[in-house]
Amino acid sequence: MVATDSAEIETTSEVAAVPVGDPSILGLPSFVVGAVALSLATVGYVPPAAVGAALPIILGATGLGLLITTVWCANLGQSFVACVFGVFTGFWFSYAALVLGLQHNWFQIPAADVTRSVALFLISWAVVMFFLTVGSVRLPVIYTILIGLVFVALVLLIFGTLNANTTLNKLAGYAVFGASALGSYLFLSSCSVALGGAPFQLGRPLRP
C-alpha cells in the first residue's frame, strides 16, 4: 500500500511538473514588429541606402524574441511550432548578417556580384518557405496563408532584385504587411485565450 501511494505521488508530481503556456504570445508580436519594419523599408519609407534602419528592431526584438520562443516551444514538446519559429529566427538573423555584411564588406563580395548574392539569399529562403507552407497545411488555414505570403514576398523580391524593379519590391513589402496583419490577428487570439477568453476563428486546415 505504501509502495502504491509512493508511486501515485511520484506520478502526480511528474504530471504537475509538465510545463504549460503558449509561446506564440511572445513569438507573434516579435515577428510582427520585424515584419512591419522590413515592410516599411521595402516599400520606400526610408531610402535604399538606409535599409539598415530596420536592423535594431530585427536584431534586438524579432530575432531575439523568436529565439526565445523557439526554445520555449521545444521545451513544451511543440515540434512543428518550434520549427516554424526557429526557421523565422534563422531568416531574421541571416537577413541582418546579410545587410551588415554588405554594408561593411565583411564577405568580400565584389560590387558587380552583390545583386546575385542578394538573389542567392532570397532564393534559398524562398525554397525553405515554400516547403514550410506546404508542411503547414494541417494547421488552421490562417497559418498557411501567413507563411505563404512570406513565400510570395520572397519570390517578388527575387525578380525585383534581379531586374532592378522597384514595383515588384514594393509589392513584396505589401505582401509582408499582409503577413503582419495576420500575425497581429493571431496575437490577439493568443491574448484572448491567455486571459480566459475564447480563441478567434482561424479557419479550417487545408488538409485534415
Side-chain angles (χ1 to χ4, degrees), residues 28-45:
L28 288 168
S30 297
F31 165 80
V32 169
V33 68
V36 170
L38 183 59
S39 298
L40 288 172
T42 305
V43 300
Y45 180 75

Side-chain angles (χ1 to χ4, degrees), residues 172-195:
Y174 294 133
V176 178
F177 271 132
S180 302
L182 294 180
S184 299
Y185 179 85
L186 287 167
F187 171 59
L188 292 176
S189 178
S190 295
C191 288
S192 177
V193 173
L195 296 173

Side-chain angles (χ1 to χ4, degrees), residues 17 23 100 102 150 184 189:
L100 289 172
L102 291 177
V150 175
S184 299
S189 178

